[in-house]
Amino acid sequence: MKILVSACLLGVRCRYDGKSKPHPAVERLMEQHTLIPVCGEILGGLPTPRVSAERQGARVVTADGCDVTAAYRRGAEEVLRLAERYGCKAAILKERSPSCGSGRIYDGTFTGTLTDGWGVTAELLRDHGICVIGESEAETWREEH
């Protein structure tokens, strides 16, 4: 199976802070599946490192007040294009991210407070029928998703 995966979970240093967040359970999936690394922020044209950002409703705003919604949407569309091109039916994305968050994201106050919600990329993928889960679910993930 071909699965989209947040590139930072595979060790790519593409997070806002210039670091990665390798996840062993996600990496183990390479033994049985084709993993396609993606980063909506990079595909949307944002640099690494970059100012942290959070969703504020439909917008994505950086900690210093810049609206980066257009870049996040552009990146989400590119990730969707890759999903369609490679026939991906599932994605394992970085939890809590304004791009990749699945079900819980930071609330836009930059205080570390979580709220129910989806990152821009995760939401677009779900709207197009792609199963999206966070990395904490990778250990128990099965193809029937």
Side-chain angles (χ1 to χ4, degrees):
M1 181 176 202
K2 294 175 183 170
I3 305 168
L4 293 173
V5 176
S6 290
C8 63
L9 297 175
L10 296 173
V12 177
R13 296 172 191 252
C14 58
R15 287 173 34 97
Y16 75 95
D17 58 5
K19 297 179 182 177
S20 65
K21 287 282 185 175
H23 196 281
V26 175
E27 292 174 330
R28 280 193 298 277
L29 289 172
M30 285 190 284
E31 297 167 7
Q32 298 175 6
H33 303 284
T34 301
L35 305 184
I36 299 165
V38 295
C39 178
E41 292 96 328
I42 299 299
L43 291 171
L46 295 172
T48 300
R50 58 191 165 275
V51 177
S52 65
E54 294 185 5
R55 281 197 82 167
Q56 294 178 349
R59 297 173 53 222
V60 182
V61 179
T62 62
D64 61 2
C66 294
D67 186 327
V68 289
T69 307
Y72 274 74
R73 286 189 182 143
R74 190 169 44 251
E77 290 166 5
E78 290 302 319
V79 171
L80 177 61
R81 191 178 336 265
L82 288 169
E84 291 171 341
R85 168 158 263 179
Y86 288 101
C88 298
K89 304 291 184 218
I92 301 172
L93 303 179
K94 181 69 187 95
E95 295 169 349
R96 297 177 295 280
S97 157
S99 178
C100 297
S102 54
R104 301 280 292 162
I105 57 173
Y106 292 111
D107 72 352
T109 63
F110 297 93
T111 60
T113 305
L114 293 172
T115 189
D116 292 339
W118 293 83
V120 176
T121 297
E123 187 172 64
L124 183 64
L125 293 174
R126 286 182 70 224
D127 289 348
H128 283 82
I130 295 170
C131 173
V132 176
I133 65 168
E135 72 271 18
S136 67
E137 299 175 84
E139 193 75 55
T140 58
W141 181 82
R142 300 288 177 257
E143 285 184 47
E144 59 269 9
H145 284 90

